[in-house]
Every structure is written in C-alpha cells, then in structure tokens.
Amino acid sequence: MVYRYLIPFLFLPNTIKLRIIRFYVRKRLGWKLSKHDVIWSSVFLFIINEKAHLKVISNVFYVTFRYKSEPITLRIRPNLSSDIFTFFQLFISKEYQPVFNLLVDKPIKNILDCGANVGYFSVQALREFPEAKIFSIEPGKDNFIELSENLQLNANVPTYQILHAAIWNKEEWLNIKEEDEEWAYKVHKSDNPSDIKGYTLHSLKNKAKFN
C-alpha cells in the first residue's frame, strides 16, 4: 500500500512534493490547512487513483488521464492558482456531473461556453458530448492563450471555435482589468478598438453559426 503512494510521489515535481508534505505535516499537528495544499494533495490522490501521468514542460504541468474512456491532456500553470482550482472543481469534485447526467440522452449538438477560462470545461464537454461542436469565449488574455492550447491538445479544429471576447448586454468595446482576487475583473466601456469586444448572447449564437 505504501509503494502505491511513494513511487508516484517520488516522480512529482518538487514544488508539488513540498505542498503535499506541508499538508500532511499540518494535518498531523492539527494546524490550519491552506486551500492550496488541500487542493494539490487532492490532485496527487487523483493522479494515483486515475493512473494519470504528470510531466513538466517550461514550468507548466501537463496532466494526462482518461475521461469517458478517452485521453485528456491539460495544462496547469502552477503559479496561477485558478487553474488548479478549476481542475479540482471539474475533474475531482465533478461539479458539473449532475448536469451531464440530466443531458445524457439529449441530442446535444451545440455548446456555447461563455467565460471559458482556460478551457477545462470546453474539453470536458466535448468528451461528454462527442457529436457536439463548441464555441468558447474568454476575455482574459492569458486565459485565452491557455484555452487555445488546451483545446488544441484535445480536439480537432472542426469541433471547436474560440473567440477572444466577452459576453455583454450590448455590442461595444470593453476595457477589462484583472483584480487582485482570483477570477475577478473590473469592466468599463471603451472607445478603443484594441480593447476587448463585448457581444450579446444573441450575437454570439449567430457568430458561432450553429446548425
């Protein structure tokens, strides 16, 4: 039983090892646990239980595992905590599974992912509904890059479209600035065409050209 955990642990990047060690030491001593250490320890158990593979390329973690009998490879930026929290919510806590269960017998052909973040849900949805096409919209510059990377790793171009934009109550240019809190943005109307374009839900559906 010990070897089941020890051997995978030895192959983890040092940054994750330290978080896991800190988690179990703090837990043993009855100290307060940080949410980051709890999440990374959960990911470690996920890697073991799902027989997942973890590698590091240019300081980015690549996690490969099977989902709905198909492989998924996702990028996780270790220094940006929202990535690992999103991974935890979707693939460990499985927060969207009740919704997927309700739609399992429905002929889902088109999916509009507004605020797609780094694309984990987009990838998950394409595995849940392999006949569907997805249109993913993300306003954050860095997140949009990750969205593109994750979809390229897991899907063919005809099955997805991506757009660097925001959903809004009308079509206009928007200035979007990240706040200190995770996943928080401050949005202002802008007259600068180099800023982010805001689209209504109706215009996005037309832009996606769904059948």
Side-chain angles (χ1 to χ4, degrees):
M1 179 65 70
V2 174
Y3 290 109
R4 180 171 180 246
Y5 296 94
L6 179 59
I7 294 177
F9 178 81
L10 294 175
F11 286 94
L12 290 174
N14 289 334
T15 51
I16 300 181
K17 285 181 186 175
L18 290 173
R19 287 194 179 278
I20 293 171
I21 291 172
R22 185 166 56 189
F23 168 80
Y24 284 105
V25 169
R26 285 179 171 272
K27 185 177 181 181
R28 183 71 174 176
L29 295 174
W31 294 354
K32 184 178 180 180
L33 301 173
S34 77
K35 59 182 180 180
H36 295 86
D37 294 341
V38 171
I39 293 295
W40 277 110
S41 298
S42 299
V43 171
F44 171 59
L45 295 177
F46 173 87
I47 290 171
I48 293 172
N49 294 330
E50 299 297 325
K51 297 180 174 61
H53 178 67
L54 177 68
K55 63 181 179 180
V56 183
I57 301 176
S58 300
N59 201 36
V60 175
F61 298 148
Y62 287 74
V63 180
T64 301
F65 57 99
R66 300 193 75 82
Y67 184 89
K68 306 293 288 188
S69 301
E70 294 291 333
I72 283 180
T73 297
L74 296 174
R75 291 164 51 95
I76 300 177
R77 299 167 292 177
N79 297 323
L80 296 172
S81 60
S82 63
D83 286 11
I84 195 64
F85 275 92
T86 305
F87 183 91
F88 177 85
Q89 289 172 336
L90 269 64
F91 297 104
I92 298 177
S93 292
K94 300 180 179 179
E95 293 185 3
Y96 286 106
Q97 196 58 54
V99 178
F100 294 145
N101 292 341
L102 287 173
L103 300 174
V104 66
D105 295 322
K106 306 294 183 182
I108 305 299
K109 297 296 182 182
N110 302 307
I111 302 170
L112 192 60
D113 188 3
C114 298
N117 196 260
V118 295
Y120 296 166
F121 173 80
S122 294
V123 172
Q124 185 181 37
L126 286 174
R127 290 293 185 273
E128 288 283 345
F129 309 107
E131 301 300 319
K133 293 184 179 181
I134 193 163
F135 189 38
S136 305
I137 303 97
E138 169 56 36
K141 181 180 178 181
D142 292 336
N143 285 345
F144 180 78
I145 293 172
E146 291 300 307
L147 166 66
S148 177
E149 293 280 356
N150 282 314
L151 280 168
Q152 286 181 48
L153 286 169
N154 295 282
N156 296 319
V157 173
T159 63
Y160 73 88
Q161 302 175 65
I162 58 175
L163 180 65
H164 188 203
I167 187 167
W168 199 238
N169 64 336
K170 58 182 176 180
E171 288 196 31
E172 62 183 3
W173 295 103
L174 302 171
N175 179 263
I176 300 178
K177 292 183 178 180
E178 294 187 17
E179 295 285 272
D180 293 334
E181 296 182 13
E182 297 163 8
W183 300 326
Y185 294 91
K186 184 177 288 186
V187 182
H188 298 282
K189 180 182 176 181
S190 172
D191 296 321
N192 188 349
S194 64
D195 284 333
I196 297 296
K197 183 69 177 292
Y199 291 92
T200 65
L201 182 60
H202 179 73
S203 62
L204 283 174
K205 289 170 64 178
N206 291 335
K207 197 172 185 65
K209 297 180 180 179
F210 286 151
N211 296 328

